[in-house]
Amino acid sequence: MVLGKKIVIYDLDDTLYNKTSEFADILDTTMAEALVYDLGLNMKVEEAKELVTLSYKIYRDGGEIFYRDYGINPQDLFIAYHKRKPVEKIVPYDNLLEKIEKVDAEQYIFTASDRYASEKILKHLGLYEFFKDRYYSVEDFGVFKKNESADVYYEYCKKIGVNPKDCVFVDDSYSNLEFAKETGMTTVRIYYKNNSAKDKTYIDYAYKGIESFLDDVVNN
C-alpha cells in the first residue's frame, strides 16, 4: 500500500525525470521547429519559440497560443513535436528502477507524450521492461491533453480496471492533479524548486523530486 492506496499512477515527463531549465529550453526550440518546419507556420523559429515559452507561462501548454491564434491543429502538433523530441538529452536518475521495484503497489504510467516518444523515454530511463504493458498515452483515449477535464482520468481507470479512489496519482502539473482529484484519487505533486502548491487544496502531498517520494513510500 502507498499512502493507504494499492495503485500508483505516474505521469512520465517532468515526473520520472527532472526537466532541467536547459532541457526545457531545448524542448521549446523543438516545438518551435515542429511548428515552422513541419506544420508550415509562417514565422521564424526564434519568434515561434518566444511564443511557445509565453504559452507555457500563460496556459501551461506550449501549443495553446498556436491553437487559439494561428489555427494549428492540436493533433498535428502533438505528432510533429513528439517525433522531434530529443529523448537522448534526458538525464536519468540513478537506480530509479530499483526503487520503483520496491514499491508495494501496482504501478502504471499515464502520459501526455505519444506512445512513440513514451517508449523511447522509458527505454532511455531503463524502465521500459517494467512498464511495457502498463503505460498509456492520452492518444490512447482520443485526446491530446490531460488538463481539460476529469473524463480521461475516469477512462484511464476503466481501462486498467481500477476504482479511482484506490489510486495515487503522481504528477508535476497542477492542472493534471486537479482533474485527477475530481475522480477521487489521492494526489501527489512532484516539484523541483520550491513547493508552490501549498495553497492548492486538491493536492494531498508534495515531494521534491520523484526520488524523495519513492524513498518515503518504500521506507514507511
Side-chain angles (χ1 to χ4, degrees):
M1 302 283 280
V2 171
L3 304 177
K5 304 300 176 70
K6 56 187 178 183
I7 308 291
V8 178
I9 304 170
Y10 302 98
D11 173 48
L12 178 55
D13 296 299
D14 315 337
T15 297
L16 292 183
Y17 65 87
N18 179 8
K19 185 174 74 174
T20 63
S21 57
E22 292 80 9
F23 189 54
D25 185 69
I26 290 170
L27 293 180
D28 286 359
T29 300
T30 299
M31 184 170 286
E33 289 174 345
L35 285 158
V36 174
Y37 298 143
D38 301 326
L39 303 184
L41 181 68
N42 186 20
M43 190 178 291
K44 292 182 178 179
V45 169
E46 294 78 9
E47 183 183 357
K49 180 182 176 182
E50 289 179 3
L51 289 178
V52 169
T53 304
L54 177 63
S55 187
Y56 273 121
K57 289 179 180 178
I58 296 173
Y59 301 112
R60 296 187 62 81
D61 183 331
E64 190 64 34
I65 282 177
F66 301 94
Y67 311 147
R68 294 176 181 233
D69 299 339
Y70 295 90
I72 295 295
N73 181 288
Q75 182 176 3
D76 292 343
L77 181 55
F78 182 84
I79 294 169
Y81 169 67
H82 285 107
K83 283 184 177 178
R84 286 180 170 270
K85 194 167 185 176
V87 170
E88 69 283 354
K89 295 185 182 296
I90 295 170
V91 179
Y93 288 114
D94 292 333
N95 305 315
L96 184 61
L97 176 60
E98 292 178 20
K99 293 183 178 183
I100 284 176
E101 288 176 328
K102 294 177 182 177
V103 174
D104 183 23
E106 292 183 42
Q107 298 174 83
Y108 296 85
I109 286 173
F110 183 33
T111 176
S113 285
D114 70 1
R115 290 196 66 85
Y116 169 80
S118 299
E119 181 176 329
K120 288 178 63 179
I121 293 169
L122 287 170
K123 287 179 177 178
H124 183 69
L125 298 178
L127 301 177
Y128 179 73
E129 289 300 320
F130 185 87
F131 284 110
K132 67 179 179 181
D133 298 318
R134 287 177 287 153
Y135 76 94
Y136 296 91
S137 163
V138 287
E139 68 175 334
D140 294 319
F141 303 91
V143 297
F144 306 99
K145 299 180 183 179
K146 290 160 62 181
N147 62 354
E148 291 187 318
S149 80
D151 292 348
V152 71
Y153 294 89
Y154 283 115
E155 291 298 316
Y156 185 94
C157 289
K158 187 185 299 183
K159 178 79 173 177
I160 65 175
V162 301
N163 186 325
K165 293 181 180 179
D166 292 329
C167 300
V168 175
F169 195 84
V170 184
D171 201 316
D172 67 293
S173 170
Y174 301 148
S175 50
N176 295 343
L177 290 166
E178 183 172 11
F179 289 118
K181 188 63 178 178
E182 281 188 28
T183 70
M185 295 185 191
T186 295
T187 54
V188 174
R189 181 174 184 248
I190 300 301
Y191 66 96
Y192 295 99
K193 294 180 181 178
N194 297 318
N195 179 15
S196 55
K198 292 179 180 178
D199 62 332
K200 305 293 191 295
T201 58
Y202 53 84
I203 294 177
D204 297 312
Y205 302 90
Y207 290 87
K208 191 167 187 176
I210 191 65
E211 292 178 302
S212 64
F213 167 74
L214 293 171
D215 289 341
D216 187 48
V217 301
V218 166
N219 294 322
N220 291 293

